[in-house]
Amino acid sequence: MNILDSLYEESIWREFLQYKIEKQHLSGKEQKQMEEYIREKKYLPLLIEMEQEGYELPLPFKKEINKGGTSKKRVVYSYPEDFSMLLKMVAFLLYRYDGMFSDNCYAFRRNFGVKDAMRRIRHTKGISEKYCLKVDISNYFNSIDVSMLLEKLIFLKREDAFLYDMFERILTADKAIVCTGNDSLTSEK
């Protein structure tokens, strides 16, 4: 079953909500909003629209924000609320590909996280004789060669053409709505 078909199933959305509650990823307000979103099936119009030929993804919002108490800025892209909710659900469903990742990859995986990484480090024999190197690559995500990344994702084209197409369209988009300091919006190529 491709991911688009899964997104029509209310039970999958309820599973997603339950996961978010159990992991304490939601404030009380966010939980109520998500419960309403699922109860009223607000995802259906977007899914139906996405299946139409010629559907265009919404433009992301581009905003510069301060980076962790420094004068440095980082660029953040976000999408309108309904599409953002759908992307979060897609990320939740990507757990089916967890087996393809290295055992030491703890990012963006459903049942792996910082606590698991720390537990693994604490139980490593001879850890006191090893070193750790922390690296911060400037502009890391914006420096990834999209064509190379899409080559790595090509297996998805056979397994889930919808998902591959969505990733390709997001990664190759060349426009965004720029949010300036005074919240005025302009389109940028």
Side-chain angles (χ1 to χ4, degrees):
M1 173 185 294
N2 70 34
I3 283 195
L4 180 62
D5 292 339
S6 299
L7 295 174
Y8 279 97
E9 295 183 29
E10 184 177 347
S11 62
I12 298 285
W13 285 92
R14 295 211 172 277
E15 181 185 337
F16 178 48
L17 172 63
Q18 192 58 40
Y19 171 81
K20 298 292 260 179
I21 292 169
E22 287 172 7
K23 296 293 184 177
Q24 299 178 342
H25 292 169
L26 303 170
S27 68
K29 181 181 176 184
E30 289 169 327
Q31 181 177 334
K32 282 184 173 61
Q33 288 172 330
M34 196 168 186
E35 287 168 345
E36 177 186 329
Y37 185 86
I38 294 169
R39 185 177 55 256
E40 295 180 10
K41 299 182 180 179
K42 292 182 178 182
Y43 49 88
L44 286 179
L46 178 59
L47 292 173
I48 292 167
E49 186 180 341
M50 289 178 77
E51 287 199 90
Q52 303 303 311
E53 193 168 320
Y55 170 76
E56 292 197 27
L57 295 175
L59 290 177
F61 299 105
K62 178 182 177 183
K63 188 173 191 173
E64 282 191 7
I65 62 171
N66 289 335
K67 188 174 181 179
T70 69
S71 61
K72 293 181 182 179
K73 301 264 188 193
R74 68 180 178 141
V75 176
V76 176
Y77 292 92
S78 62
Y79 285 92
E81 189 175 340
D82 59 341
F83 192 71
S84 181
M85 181 68 78
L86 187 120
L87 288 175
K88 290 175 186 176
M89 177 56 132
V90 167
F92 173 74
L93 293 174
L94 289 176
Y95 73 91
R96 65 178 74 168
Y97 297 108
D98 271 1
M100 297 177 75
F101 293 101
S102 170
D103 287 343
N104 62 0
C105 176
Y106 294 92
F108 305 107
R109 295 174 74 186
R110 188 184 287 188
N111 293 312
F112 295 88
V114 173
K115 289 179 184 176
D116 300 300
M118 295 307 296
R119 192 175 303 111
R120 183 175 181 185
I121 289 169
R122 282 196 314 269
H123 291 98
T124 300
K125 291 182 187 211
I127 191 68
S128 62
E129 298 167 9
K130 300 188 184 293
Y131 295 89
C132 177
L133 173 65
K134 180 181 181 236
V135 177
D136 185 3
I137 301 172
S138 177
N139 207 18
Y140 176 73
F141 287 106
N142 291 332
S143 65
I144 295 172
D145 184 322
V146 171
S147 61
M148 286 177 66
L149 178 58
L150 289 172
E151 282 178 33
K152 298 290 184 190
L153 296 175
I154 200 72
F155 72 93
L156 278 177
K157 207 171 211 176
R158 292 180 299 279
E159 283 185 36
D160 194 333
F162 165 79
L163 185 60
Y164 180 85
D165 181 61
M166 188 171 72
F167 285 161
E168 182 179 40
R169 289 164 69 183
I170 288 171
L171 292 168
T172 58
D174 63 351
K175 293 182 182 176
I177 298 171
V178 180
C179 301
T180 60
N182 59 11
D183 286 328
S184 64
L185 303 178
T186 58
S187 183
E188 176 186 90
K189 212 170 182 179

